[in-house]
DNA sequence: TTAATATTCAACCATTTGGTTGACTATAGA
DNA sequence: TCTATAGTCAACCAAATGGTTGAATATTAA
């Protein structure tokens, strides 16, 4: 069974609950980036972006390596997987409906003939 | 392509970022429940639980029907699916591990029989 | 050594959050 | 009709959030 640590999930989902941070993740999914590079697309101070990055880091959604004065961030997909796993427990609820829908469509098609 | 509405995702992930609300979703996944039934397991006032329910409702993670004085809540899995879909974009980053997990689940299920 | 660059830190601020309590509304049952 | 039950609402509070600015730190380049 997958362990669903509550504190971790709090941090992860909270980090994902902000459009800026979700976009940062998207950016990192293309390529690793420095703090300044991550901040550039957003209409806010570097300090504000730095705070967002810290939130993502605390949730372990991203990781940082420091080389000299530049901090490079990369995505940490294992943590995204944790969120996904929590949600997957409920997948049956929407796949069920999907199956139902499919069988309804089949029935409808049979009636056509 | 899946539409990822930012405001919706803000509400959805924010709603999921609280252990009480995640547990409420788990409870509803077993069976639909009234507001009082949902509040009972938690060490907080009914008013506090009612607020949590409203957060879940606003995010459309649950739906409510009112009959007389009792409000019945049920899970709205389509919205959970939206969160899942956002995450699935990054699935490729962990797909190796995901495959492993799937095979573990399969093994576990076989053991059950 | 001096200046520029990359980034964080600290203090501040308005807003949101998650809880409380007490009053209120509406329905159901005696 | 009177009372209990189901639930919300409003006011309040402390803590957290998301932003700002200005100063501090550390590294690199001139």
């Amino acid at each position: 069974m997958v362990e669903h640590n509550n504190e971790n999930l709090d941090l992860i989902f909270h980090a994902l609950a902000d459009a800026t941070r979700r976009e940062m993740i998207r950016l990192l999914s293309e390529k690793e980036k420095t703090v300044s590079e991550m901040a550039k697309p957003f209409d806010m101070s570097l300090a504000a972006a730095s705070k967002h990055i810290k939130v993502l880091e605390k949730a372990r959604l991203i990781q940082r390596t420091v080389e000299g004065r530049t901090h490079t961030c990369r995505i940490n997909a294992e943590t995204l997987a944790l969120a996904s796993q929590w949600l997957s427990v409920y997948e049956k609820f929407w796949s069920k409906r999907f199956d139902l829908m499919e069988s309804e469509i089949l029935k409808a098609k049979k009636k056509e003939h």
Side-chain angles (χ1 to χ4, degrees), chain A:
Chain A
M1 269 285 269
V2 181
E3 266 276 316
H4 289 313
N5 183 299
N6 272 334
E7 274 184 46
N8 284 350
L9 286 173
D10 280 7
L11 292 177
I12 294 166
F13 282 125
H14 168 250
L16 294 177
D18 181 284
T20 299
R21 291 193 290 261
R22 285 196 305 277
E23 176 64 6
M24 283 178 162
I25 288 175
R26 204 194 58 72
L27 290 169
L28 286 188
S29 79
E30 293 172 347
K31 196 172 191 305
E32 62 182 37
K33 289 189 167 49
T34 67
V35 168
S36 326
E37 283 169 344
M38 288 180 73
K40 203 169 295 171
F42 302 101
D43 184 24
M44 64 179 69
S45 67
L46 181 62
S50 171
K51 277 190 189 179
H52 280 301
I53 291 169
K54 244 176 282 179
V55 170
L56 289 167
E57 206 183 0
K58 200 176 164 198
R60 296 199 247 183
L61 283 162
I62 70 174
Q63 276 172 331
R64 176 196 310 240
T65 52
V66 181
E67 262 175 294
R69 62 186 164 176
T70 71
H71 298 206
T72 302
C73 301
R74 52 185 62 76
I75 205 167
N76 184 16
E78 281 88 348
T79 304
L80 282 166
L82 285 180
S84 189
Q85 281 162 26
W86 186 87
L87 286 163
S88 75
V89 170
Y90 306 99
E91 203 168 307
K92 57 182 176 189
F93 287 99
W94 65 80
S95 57
K96 249 187 209 164
R97 295 204 175 210
F98 195 74
D99 291 349
L100 252 170
M101 201 177 67
E102 275 197 320
S103 70
E104 286 301 308
I105 289 168
L106 273 173
K107 262 195 270 176
K109 278 189 178 171
K110 276 182 186 169
K111 270 193 184 171
E112 278 173 16
H113 299 292

